[in-house]
Amino acid sequence: MNLPEGVVIHGREPRLGGPEWTERYRGAVMNTFGDPQRVLVRGEGSHVWDADGNKYLDLLAGIAVNALGHGHPAILEAVTQQLQTLGHISNFFASAPQVELAERLVGLLGGEGRVFFANSGTEANEAAFKATRRTGRTTIVAAEGSFHGRTMGALALTSKAAYREPFEPLPGDVRWVPYGDADALAAAVDDTVAAVILEPIQGEAGVIVPPADYLAAARRITSEHGALLWLDEVQTGMGRTGDWFGHTPSGVTPDLVTLAKGLGGGIPIGACVALGDAATLLGPGNHGTTFGGNPVATAAALAVISTIESGGLLEATRVRGDQLADGLSLNARVESVTGRGLLRGVVLSEPRAAEVQKAALDAGLIINAPTPDRLRLAPPLVLSEDEAADAVRTLSTIIDEVLA
Ligand SMILES: *Cc1c(COP(=O)(O)O)cnc(C)c1O
C-alpha cells in the first residue's frame, strides 16, 4: 500500500482476544445490538481478521458499506490528504470536495438538482422527510417490508412493528401498501399524499426485487397526484446493483433520492438529493447539520466514485454478482437467488438462515440472515473472481451441511 509521504499507521496490536473484548463490550457499550459475533481487528481487500487471528472473507462489507473493500489506497489517500489540508469546517463555509461531490451525484442521477449532505442513511431520510413537509401535505405512502432507518422520522416510515411500536407516537400520517403491487399503490395515492417512499430493491426485508415496471408505475401515479417520488437508495445506490443506482434500469427520474452506506466506502456520509422542483423545497433555516458535507467525508466519497469509474467496477459488480447467483443456484437447497449485482438474497428451502449464518462464520465467511429463510450477500464491489468462487464453494457446502 502506498501511503502519502510522512504518514505512519499506528499499529494497535490487540493484547486481548475476542472473549476478553466481548466481556468489556458488555460492560461499556449499550446493549442495542446483542453480543457481537466476533471482535475484528484488521481488514484488507475483501478480508478481515478477528482478535483471535482468524481470517474471514467479508461477504457483507459492513452491510453494503465497504464498496472498495477494506483499506483501499484511494480512500486512504483521499482522506489523509484532505485531513492534512482541511479536516473540518462548519456549514458557515463551503469546501471544494463538498461542491464537487454534490455536482457528481446530481450528474450521476442525470438531472438538475441539489444535495443536502448528512452523516448516515437515517439522516439522509430525515432531510427528505422534512422536504416532503414543505409541499404543504403530510401523508406519506410507504411499503410493507421497508427499512428506512432508526431516527424518529425514518422509523415512522419503517414497516417492522417491533422497531416502531416501542417508540410511538411517531411523526407522520403513513399509509402502508404491499411492496411491488402497482394497483395497491394507485389505490393508496390521492391528492393529499406528499410522497411515496420506496426502496428500488428492499434490502433489510431480504433483497426483494419488485416487478420490472413497478418504479415506472410509481412515477406515473405520483406525478398524476402531484406527490413526490422518493427513492431510498441507501443500500442499493452507488454501484451496489451493478448500475449507479437501483432505479437506473427503470429509467424513472425520482424527486428525492437518499444515499449513504456505500457512498463513503466506510467513511460516514449520507446525502439527500432533490431533483427538479424538489431541489428548492428546503430553504434557509429549514434544516442543518454540523458534520454533514465535511471535507473529509466528501473527499472519501469522491474517491469512491472515481475508483468505481476507473476500475470498471459497475461491470465487475454485474459479472461477480452473476457468478455468485449462478453458482449458488446450482445448490438444490437454494430455492432462488434474488437481487442484482452484488446485493443478493439467497432463499433457502428451509427457514434455517440463522444457523447457516453462524456455520458460515465459523468457516470464515461473513454473511447475514435478514429473515428466517434468507441469507444476504453484499460483498465489496472489488470482490475477485477467485474470492467469489471461494464464496460459492464454501457457502454451498455449509448450506448442504446445515440443511442436510
Ligand atoms: C441501512 C439503511 C438505512 C439506514 O441507514 P443508517 O446509516 O443505518 O442510518 C436506510 N435505508 C435503507 C434502505 C437502508 O438499507
Side-chain angles (χ1 to χ4, degrees):
M1 189 181 301
N2 290 324
L3 289 178
E5 208 177 337
V7 174
V8 183
I9 301 248
H10 294 280
R12 205 150 159 274
E13 283 305 313
R15 290 170 295 110
L16 305 175
E20 291 91 341
W21 281 118
T22 301
E23 195 51 41
R24 284 171 61 177
Y25 176 102
R26 287 195 191 113
V29 180
M30 263 192 218
N31 185 22
T32 59
F33 300 102
D35 265 359
Q37 296 170 22
R38 294 288 192 274
V39 177
L40 302 179
V41 293
R42 188 167 76 83
E44 192 182 321
S46 301
H47 290 92
V48 291
W49 285 259
D50 72 15
D52 303 309
N54 303 303
K55 182 182 181 182
Y56 302 87
L57 180 59
D58 185 2
L59 298 179
L60 198 57
I63 315 183
V65 167
N66 301 103
L68 306 185
H70 298 271
H72 194 286
I75 297 180
L76 190 57
E77 194 174 306
V79 165
T80 307
Q81 282 190 359
Q82 190 57 52
L83 262 177
Q84 286 175 328
T85 312
L86 182 67
H88 174 80
I89 54 176
S90 71
N91 277 305
F92 295 132
F93 303 95
S95 70
Q98 175 194 45
V99 177
E100 283 178 29
L101 180 61
E103 290 172 350
R104 290 305 312 270
L105 292 176
V106 170
L108 291 175
L109 283 159
E112 300 268 306
R114 294 190 194 172
V115 182
F116 180 88
F117 286 114
N119 311 289
S120 64
T122 200
E123 279 179 76
N125 282 331
E126 290 299 317
F129 198 175
K130 286 181 74 175
T132 70
R133 286 289 170 98
R134 302 298 298 159
T135 63
R137 304 180 183 180
T138 55
T139 305
I140 306 281
V141 175
E144 289 162 12
S146 66
F147 183 84
H148 299 299
R150 302 293 204 129
T151 52
M152 295 297 247
L155 188 57
L157 309 173
T158 289
S159 84
K160 201 172 188 173
Y163 292 170
R164 251 185 314 121
E165 281 170 359
F167 302 99
E168 289 176 343
L170 294 166
D173 312 318
V174 184
R175 282 182 203 162
W176 298 99
V177 291
Y179 184 66
D181 182 340
D183 293 337
L185 190 61
V189 178
D190 56 30
D191 290 354
T192 69
V193 169
V196 172
I197 178 170
L198 296 170
E199 294 158 83
I201 294 173
Q202 285 189 332
E204 300 304 304
V207 191
I208 313 282
V209 182
D213 55 359
Y214 184 57
L215 294 182
R219 176 69 284 178
R220 189 171 33 72
I221 293 162
T222 46
S223 295
E224 275 167 19
H225 293 283
L228 300 167
L229 179 60
W230 166 8
L231 298 182
D232 180 342
E233 293 261 15
V234 167
Q235 189 158 159
T236 49
M238 306 317 296
R240 172 59 49 195
T241 61
D243 292 292
W244 277 113
F245 304 99
H247 75 269
T248 305
S250 76
V252 306
T253 302
D255 301 294
L256 296 165
V257 178
T258 43
L259 301 167
K261 290 205 165 92
L263 177 58
I267 301 297
I269 181 170
C272 168
V273 188
L275 299 167
D277 292 342
T280 51
L281 283 171
L282 289 176
N286 283 162
H287 201 35
T289 166
T290 297
F291 292 119
N294 74 79
V296 175
T298 49
L302 283 169
V304 169
I305 292 172
S306 59
T307 304
I308 289 174
E309 278 178 340
S310 64
L313 291 182
L314 295 181
E315 172 68 13
T317 295
R318 277 180 231 140
V319 173
R320 289 289 84 78
D322 288 345
Q323 185 186 347
L324 289 178
D326 293 347
L328 290 167
S329 297
L330 295 175
N331 187 309
R333 294 179 172 93
V334 171
E335 301 263 296
S336 62
V337 179
T338 63
R340 285 205 306 272
L342 287 172
L343 180 61
R344 295 289 180 167
V346 181
V347 186
L348 302 176
S349 58
E350 291 174 49
R352 299 174 69 179
E355 288 166 73
V356 172
Q357 178 202 327
K358 199 174 167 301
L361 190 65
D362 291 340
L365 275 193
I366 297 179
I367 57 174
N368 89 326
T371 71
D373 68 344
R374 281 172 184 251
L375 308 169
R376 174 174 46 180
L377 311 182
L381 310 187
V382 296
L383 189 78
S384 73
E385 185 175 356
D386 285 351
E387 288 164 347
D390 180 23
V392 168
R393 247 190 333 267
T394 310
L395 186 53
S396 202
T397 305
I398 286 158
I399 290 171
D400 283 341
E401 282 170 11
V402 173
L403 271 64

